[in-house]
């Protein structure tokens, strides 16, 4: 079971002058992409489609085995949960970042919210709603929250293992 903790973002390509990270830009440590979500309608399906394309481009999809398919589905579910959480509790997501370094895939969702996400305890499987961060905790190697110094907002990150 993972616990939320602060963790520095992975090394990778930085933003260009306009603030965008080039799509699919390889870095020495892996690959990274970002998607601006400010004011975008349908942020959850857009984020899933964006992530699905990254997984395809990085060779996770199409999945050759049931384990590879399950790993890709876990990534898409975690993206959905993180973006949904930002939509429901943080006035919407600002940006989704997806990066792959070695055997770890990292998801980051930035928002302007002040709250701190946490799995609802005790978790009650039969109760509607409130399962998002519990799902993230169960599926991920680790996850946490990065605060922004001097400004509102945070980045919620999660890391998943690449299929073996």
């Amino acid at each position: 079971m993972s616990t939320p903790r602060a963790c520095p973002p992975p090394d990778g390509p930085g933003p260009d002058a306009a603030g965008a990270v080039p799509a699919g830009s390889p870095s020495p440590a892996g690959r990274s992409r970002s998607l601006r979500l400010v004011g975008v309608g349908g942020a959850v399906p857009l984020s899933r489609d964006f992530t699905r394309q990254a997984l395809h481009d990085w060779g996770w999809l199409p999945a050759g085995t049931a384990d590879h398919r399950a790993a890709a589905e876990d990534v898409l579910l975690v993206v959905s949960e993180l973006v949904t959480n930002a939509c429901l509790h943080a006035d919407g997501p600002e940006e989704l970042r997806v990066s792959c370094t070695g055997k770890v895939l990292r998801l980051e969702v930035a928002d302007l919210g002040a709250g701190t996400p946490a799995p609802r305890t005790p978790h009650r499987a039969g109760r509607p709603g409130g399962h998002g961060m519990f799902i993230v905790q169960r599926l991920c190697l680790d996850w946490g929250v990065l605060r922004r110094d001097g400004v509102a907002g945070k980045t919620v990150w999660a890391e998943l293992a690449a299929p073996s």
Side-chain angles (χ1 to χ4, degrees):
M1 195 179 287
S2 60
T3 57
R5 62 178 176 84
C7 180
D11 293 332
D16 62 19
V21 176
S25 296
S27 70
R31 298 153 288 208
S32 153
R33 294 186 180 185
S34 67
L35 174 67
R36 292 289 294 168
L37 294 167
V38 175
V40 171
V44 174
L46 181 63
S47 297
R48 284 178 64 90
D49 290 345
F50 175 81
T51 304
R52 184 179 292 111
Q53 184 61 52
L55 295 177
H56 185 273
D57 293 346
W58 296 339
W60 286 47
L61 293 171
T65 67
D67 286 344
H68 287 122
R69 189 171 27 263
E73 289 172 1
D74 287 352
V75 169
L76 296 174
L77 178 56
V78 170
V79 164
S80 294
E81 295 301 338
L82 293 178
V83 174
T84 297
N85 205 44
C87 290
L88 293 175
H89 305 293
D91 297 325
E94 287 189 304
E95 184 176 43
L96 165 66
R97 289 180 293 276
V98 182
S99 59
C100 185
T101 56
K103 291 290 186 179
V104 175
L105 186 124
R106 182 178 174 108
L107 305 168
E108 299 179 9
V109 176
D111 65 52
L112 292 174
T116 300
R120 189 179 282 174
T121 55
H123 181 257
R124 294 187 181 112
R127 187 166 116 190
H131 304 289
M133 294 313 294
F134 179 77
I135 291 169
V136 170
Q137 182 176 4
R138 293 294 300 254
L139 293 179
C140 295
L141 297 170
D142 205 0
W143 70 277
V145 178
L146 291 170
R147 292 282 171 198
R148 302 177 192 182
D149 290 333
V151 295
K154 65 184 173 299
T155 297
V156 180
W157 60 268
E159 294 179 339
L160 294 97
S164 49

